[in-house]
Amino acid sequence: QFPEGNFVINTPDFPDREFFLDVFGNGTFKGSVSATGFNNVSDRNLKENIEPLNAKEVLQKVMQLPISRWSFKADSNNQRHVGPMAQDFHALFEVGPDDRHISVADSSGIALAAIQGLGEMVKAKDSEIAQLKAEIAELRTLFQQAAAVNQVAMVIE
């Protein structure tokens, strides 16, 4: 049933719990995995084909990504989760092994890029607000000068 060299744990007592490790070191777990920590390997020296992202474009895609509340069909406890569907995530970002899985590394990377995109937007808005405040102050000064020349009373809040 399984290719030679693979390691499988499955018992009749717990048919919904399975551990599968293939000859390439890829593990599949049915059920929950709990740990006190998980560390993604993210060393620059282990990566290639590194390309910068446009954070604003990532943010726009995140804005299109449907986020739902759901539970797994096989979960007898009906535990609720929040997140996107792998098919939607894959269609928008074209990352990961396929359109049925979302890598923790990819979801956190997308989230961080979207936060950077928001930061860029806030910075641009702050700059625009500062410019508009300066223009308003200048217009108030010009209006006060014109009012003084024409001896018109004006109250500015």
Side-chain angles (χ1 to χ4, degrees):
Q1 159 183 0
F2 297 104
E4 191 174 319
N6 293 331
F7 179 75
V8 178
I9 298 174
N10 193 352
T11 71
D13 296 336
F14 299 101
D16 290 341
R17 296 183 186 167
E18 180 180 281
F19 170 71
F20 177 82
L21 183 64
D22 71 17
V23 293
F24 303 106
N26 299 308
T28 302
F29 301 85
K30 264 179 127 174
S32 296
V33 176
S34 297
T36 57
F38 176 79
N39 299 306
N40 278 332
V41 175
S42 192
D43 183 348
R44 178 185 314 276
N45 298 307
L46 299 176
K47 299 176 183 181
E48 61 185 4
N49 302 320
I50 299 169
E51 303 170 10
L53 290 177
N54 181 321
K56 288 181 183 177
E57 287 178 10
V58 172
L59 175 60
Q60 289 189 352
K61 288 181 180 182
V62 167
M63 297 296 290
Q64 297 172 37
L65 184 64
I67 307 293
S68 305
R69 183 182 303 272
W70 46 268
S71 57
F72 286 107
K73 291 178 181 179
D75 184 358
S76 60
N77 294 326
N78 202 28
Q79 181 179 350
R80 303 295 284 164
H81 302 276
V82 174
M85 302 301 141
Q87 292 83 352
D88 300 326
F89 192 88
H90 190 266
L92 283 168
F93 300 108
E94 299 176 342
V95 294
D98 54 43
D99 69 350
R100 294 180 52 231
H101 301 87
I102 299 175
S103 161
V104 172
D106 291 332
S107 61
S108 61
I110 294 296
L112 289 171
I115 291 167
Q116 288 180 342
L118 283 172
E120 290 175 18
M121 286 179 60
V122 168
K123 187 175 178 181
K125 294 292 181 192
D126 286 347
S127 178
E128 182 181 3
I129 289 168
Q131 180 183 347
L132 290 171
K133 283 183 175 182
E135 289 178 16
I136 289 169
E138 184 179 338
L139 288 172
R140 281 184 177 158
T141 301
L142 290 172
F143 190 80
Q144 287 172 340
Q145 290 171 351
V149 168
N150 295 314
Q151 297 181 349
V152 175
M154 179 181 111
V155 175
I156 299 178
E157 294 182 19

